[in-house]
Amino acid sequence: MSKRHRPVLVVTNLLDETADVVIRVLNARAVPVARLDPGVDLREGGALAATLGPDGMQGHITTVTRRIELGDVRSVYWRRPTAYSPPAGLDGAAGEWAVHQFRWGMGGVLAALPRCLYLNHPLRNRTAEYKPSQLAVASRVGLSTPTTLITTDPQQAKEFCTAQRDGAIYKPLWTSPYPDAEGRARTVWVSAVDPDDITDAVSVCPHLFQAKVPKEFDVRLTAVGDKLFAVRIDIDGSHLDWRKDYSQLHYAAVPVPADVAGGIRAYLREFGLIYGAFDFAVTGDGRWTFIECNANGQWAWFPEEIRDPIAQALADQLQKGLS
């Protein structure tokens, strides 16, 4: 099959608006696209048939609407597929066993497609999700990072937070479901820390504390290969975590300092990523401090004039595939 007829495989859920924007660009370019949500499609009439031989992973995945030939995929846009769940009527240990077989079987096949570009490879995404690793790599490639403590020692946490001249903050090491007493989902935001409020609860699990950056504004920088799209984020009001209220945010594209750009590209190389959504805090003297990088971060909520160049850059990568 000629390259122009090979499809881009978009692995995500049906409600992924970020993927929708990129798919519209690919459609406008007449690039064939196959959308797959394996955790749903294989439960609703789909099937997997894969073989591994001298030519790598071959075979097909069928859904209720199409057939995807594994060896023909040009590139994979790995977004946010639905988590696997037990088959209907199968619960308990058997259901859990089936879920693991789906994750490691279907996930393993989709991670081993031949001759195709991954944006990003799911295993690379997973490796790049650990915040301690992110901070270590960012520092190693020359990006400024906040002084950080990861500890289960309450006394150490108190001493660290007390010692920070501009104050200290706490942030979760991973954002996971945390329902309240009524079962409603809640979010643990980045928050300022009063050392006197630190209790022995710190000993239950690792906690991440950082020196508070005296920022003037935030930057969300979206990297697509060598293309960097930096957006200044200003807030009506004052809060550490700008994600709390998107209605209070203002955006403006800004240039990227050369040293920061070099650090970002080195960071992507270290983790084997093509794409990354970086968060920086910028101080009044112009210092960009790395906060974190989401290897599968969002950008589609930005105004159209900021969003569209990012979508075009992603579509460029996916259309080109492997050189």
Side-chain angles (χ1 to χ4, degrees):
M1 177 182 288
S2 66
K3 186 172 183 178
R4 68 188 183 90
H5 292 114
R6 295 172 62 193
V8 172
L9 179 61
V10 180
V11 182
T12 197
N13 67 81
L14 187 61
L15 301 178
D16 184 359
E17 296 180 5
T18 297
D20 292 342
V21 177
V22 178
I23 290 171
R24 286 197 291 270
V25 175
L26 292 170
N27 287 339
R29 299 180 182 185
V31 176
V33 175
R35 188 170 188 149
L36 176 69
D37 189 2
V40 173
D41 291 333
L42 265 70
R43 292 279 182 258
E44 298 181 353
L48 165 69
T51 59
L52 184 61
D55 296 325
M57 195 68 69
Q58 302 293 320
H60 60 267
I61 297 170
T62 57
T63 71
V64 293
T65 60
R66 68 183 306 147
R67 176 180 171 120
I68 302 163
E69 296 294 337
L70 300 178
D72 291 341
V73 173
R74 175 193 321 207
S75 54
V76 175
Y77 185 25
W78 194 278
R79 278 288 302 156
R80 300 193 172 186
T82 302
Y84 296 106
S85 59
L90 196 64
D91 52 20
E96 187 66 21
W97 189 87
V99 165
H100 286 299
Q101 303 314 301
F102 263 103
R103 180 178 298 122
W104 297 100
M106 187 69 175
V109 168
L110 291 174
L113 302 185
R115 301 179 297 112
C116 77
L117 173 89
Y118 284 88
L119 199 166
N120 293 306
H121 196 286
L123 302 184
R124 299 288 190 182
N125 279 350
R126 176 59 68 183
T127 300
E129 286 176 337
Y130 293 89
K131 286 183 173 62
S133 295
Q134 291 182 19
L135 290 161
V137 169
S139 179
R140 186 161 65 244
V141 300
L143 294 171
S144 174
T145 58
T147 302
T148 301
L149 171 69
I150 301 167
T151 187
T152 60
D153 183 335
Q155 185 59 38
Q156 186 184 31
K158 285 186 178 184
E159 293 172 358
F160 174 87
C161 293
T162 301
Q164 306 312 310
R165 183 182 62 183
D166 295 305
I169 61 100
Y170 163 79
K171 65 191 299 184
L173 286 153
W174 179 254
T175 301
S176 53
Y178 192 0
D180 62 17
E182 285 73 42
R184 295 170 299 190
R186 60 180 178 179
T187 300
V188 179
W189 303 104
V190 176
S191 56
V193 177
D194 182 336
D196 292 335
D197 291 337
I198 294 174
T199 70
D200 288 344
V202 168
S203 65
V204 171
C205 61
H207 285 60
L208 187 154
F209 300 94
Q210 286 182 327
K212 182 181 177 182
V213 178
K215 65 182 179 181
E216 183 171 306
F217 58 89
D218 292 275
V219 165
R220 164 58 67 90
L221 188 151
T222 306
V224 185
D226 286 334
K227 295 183 178 180
L228 307 180
F229 305 91
V231 181
R232 173 173 173 158
I233 302 175
D234 288 289
I235 304 168
D236 288 340
S238 176
H239 49 262
L240 287 170
D241 196 326
W242 54 261
R243 301 169 301 167
K244 276 188 173 183
D245 189 352
Y246 285 81
S247 69
Q248 302 299 311
L249 305 180
H250 303 279
Y251 310 105
V254 292
V256 183
D259 60 332
V260 174
I264 287 167
R265 291 176 177 128
Y267 181 101
L268 294 174
R269 287 194 298 271
E270 285 265 349
F271 279 113
L273 304 174
I274 296 173
Y275 172 89
F278 292 78
D279 288 322
F280 289 89
V282 183
T283 57
D285 61 1
R287 178 169 55 89
W288 288 43
T289 298
F290 171 92
I291 302 301
E292 63 181 71
C293 175
N294 186 337
N296 206 356
Q298 309 283 54
W299 48 267
W301 86 89
F302 284 136
E304 185 175 344
E305 66 273 13
I306 293 173
R307 180 194 69 199
D308 285 358
I310 299 173
Q312 296 288 340
L314 287 164
D316 288 344
Q317 292 279 344
L318 295 167
Q319 182 175 0
K320 180 178 67 174
L322 289 179
S323 301

